[in-house]
Amino acid sequence: MMHMKIYVERPLWDSFQFFNTIRSFFKFDVEFEEYKFKDPHFLAYIRIRSPDKREFYDPFPIEIENERRGLIKGVIYDGVELLKHFCFNIDVSNPAVLITERLIATFGEDGRYHLRMIVMGPAAIISLKGVLYAPAKPLQYYLMHSFGFDDEIEVRVDKVLKMLLLQFYAYFKYNEIFCEKEECMLHNCHTTEEIKKVTGLCEKHRKMLKNVVNLSPLSSKKK
Amino acid sequence: MSEKILAKVGEKDVTSAIIDGFYGMLKEYTNSDVIIVGAGPSGLMAARELAKAEKKVLVIERNNYLGGGFWIGGFLMNKVTVRAPAQQLLEELGVPYEMYTEGLYVADGPHACSKLISAVCDAGAKFLNMTSFDDVVIRDGRVAGIVVNWTPVQALPRQITCVDPIALESKLVIDATGHDAFVAKKLEERGLIKTRGHGSMWVEESEDAVINHTGEVYQGLIVTGMAVSTVFGLPRMGPTFGGMLLSGKKAAEIALEKLKELE
C-alpha cells in the first residue's frame, strides 16, 4: 500500500503548520517524523560559497560550531549534495520528503547556482524558505529591497507545498517530470506570478493522479 | 593697533608639536593589545568596545577619512538604515533615529558616523589614517601584528617610492577591511587559510549570517563586517548597517575572551 513519509527538520517541526493540510490533500497515508542531520561537518562542507563555482571547502571551526548550534541564517546549501546525504539515512522504497528551513540551490547548465524550492531524486527536499525566496518576484519587490525596505512576499505556502509534494509523487511513481501547462500543479513555476496561475491539474494529470489527491483544498483562499 | 586673537607661536613649535605628538603615539603603539585594520562601521564598533574595556587599541585606515561607507546609505543618499535590534547601538551612541517601519530604523549618515568616530576616540583608541595594510606578522603559528606603509607610497611609481614598511605588533588583529578582506587574503597567499569570496546571491538573512560567522579564522586573527562575507562566502547584503555594528560588537567580545585566554 502506497504511503508517503514526510520528515520535518528540527527546529521547524515545532512551528510547522501544514500537517493537516497535507494529510487531507493526499488520499493515501502520510506519516510525519521529526528529522535531524547528524553531521555538522558535512553540512558546513556543502555550503555554497560562490554563485558561479561548484567548489567545496574544508569548513572553518566556527562554521561547524554554527551548524551544531543551528546558526544557519543566510547560509545556502548545495541541494544535490544535501539530498544525497539525506537519502543515505532513510528508506527510499516509498516516497520520502524532507521539509527544511535551509536554503538550497542547484548548479545549473548556465554555470550558476539557482535557489530552489525543491530538489528531487530518490527522495526529495523541500525548502520552506526556498518557497519564499526562490521564485522570482515582480520588479517592484527588488526595487524596494535595493533600498533596504521589506516588501511582503505574496506566496501561498500551503498551495506551493501541495504542488511540490505532488510533483515529487508524480516523479517517484510515474517518472513524470513537470507539466508544460501553466494552470497545472505539476508546472515548474519559476516566478510568483506563475504560481498564481496554477489552478489545479490539467486533464492528463487529473487522470493520472485523481485517485491519490483531493483537489478541493487547492481552491482555498487562505494564505 | 589691533589685539591678536590667537597666541603667538613659532612655525618650528607647530612642527615640533605635530612630530612629538604623532611619533610619541606611534612609538607607544608599536605594541598593542589589538590592531584593527579598517575604520568602517564594524571596525569602529569593535574599537569602541575594546577601548571601553581598557584595551590598547590601534585602528589602521588607508584613507584620510574614517568611517568607511557609514557616511552614506544606498545610491549616494546620506541616510543610513539599521534593522532591530541594532537601533539600540544608535541609542547608546546618542544618534537620533526614526522608526521607518516595524524593525527598520533610519538615521542621518553624517550624524551616525561622526558620533561613532567620536565614541571610539572618547573610549581611548588611537588611529593611523592614510596608512595601508601591507602584510601580517606571524609568530609561533599565530598572527602577531601587521606590516604597514603610508598609503601614498602605493600610489606612486615604484622607482621613486622604495620606502620600506614598518611592523606593528599586537596580541590580536581584527580584519575589518570590508569585501577586500585584505588581512585574511594575505594569510591565504601564504597558504594558511582558504577564503571563499563573497557571493552575489542576495538573501534577507545575510546580515544575520555575517554576525553569526564573526570570529577567529586563524590563531590571532578575527574577521568582522563584510570581510566575514568574503572569508566564508556568504550571500551579499543590502545597504543596511545593523549587521556591521553588531558584527563589530561581537568581534570585540570574542577578542576580549581571547585576550583573557592569553593572559
Side-chain angles (χ1 to χ4, degrees), chain A residues 47-49 51 57-60 62-63 66 71 73-76 103 112-113 129 133 145-150, chain B residues 77 100 104 193-197 199-205 208-209 212-215 217 231-233 235 239:
Chain A
R47 292 170 170 206
I48 294 170
R49 314 298 185 163
Y57 296 83
D58 276 336
F60 287 101
I62 192 173
E63 292 175 296
N66 281 352
L71 299 175
K73 282 186 172 181
V75 173
I76 308 172
L103 282 165
R112 289 183 62 81
Y113 270 107
K129 276 189 184 153
Y133 287 123
H145 265 292
S146 71
F147 289 107
F149 303 125
D150 289 337
Chain B
M77 295 179 286
Y100 186 77
L104 180 66
I193 62 169
K194 186 136 180 60
T195 68
R196 288 76 158 107
S200 65
M201 274 187 285
W202 182 90
V203 293
E204 191 188 326
E205 293 169 344
D208 294 69
N212 286 338
H213 289 80
T214 299
V217 293
V231 170
F232 293 97

Side-chain angles (χ1 to χ4, degrees), chain B residues 171-187:
Chain B
K171 293 172 186 153
L172 294 171
V173 171
I174 295 180
D175 185 345
T177 60
H179 279 313
D180 295 314
F182 282 122
V183 189
K185 289 277 188 191
K186 197 52 90 171
L187 289 186

Side-chain angles (χ1 to χ4, degrees), chain B residues 69-117:
Chain B
F70 200 37
W71 296 100
I72 286 178
F75 200 63
L76 292 180
M77 295 179 286
N78 67 1
K79 299 286 179 187
V80 293
T81 54
V82 301
R83 287 194 274 170
Q87 84 283 3
Q88 290 165 8
L89 296 178
L90 296 181
E91 192 91 42
E92 266 182 44
L93 293 167
V95 178
Y97 63 88
E98 287 175 8
M99 189 170 85
Y100 186 77
T101 55
E102 190 65 39
L104 180 66
Y105 300 85
V106 61
D108 281 338
H111 204 159
C113 197
S114 52
K115 281 276 191 186
L116 179 55
I117 295 166

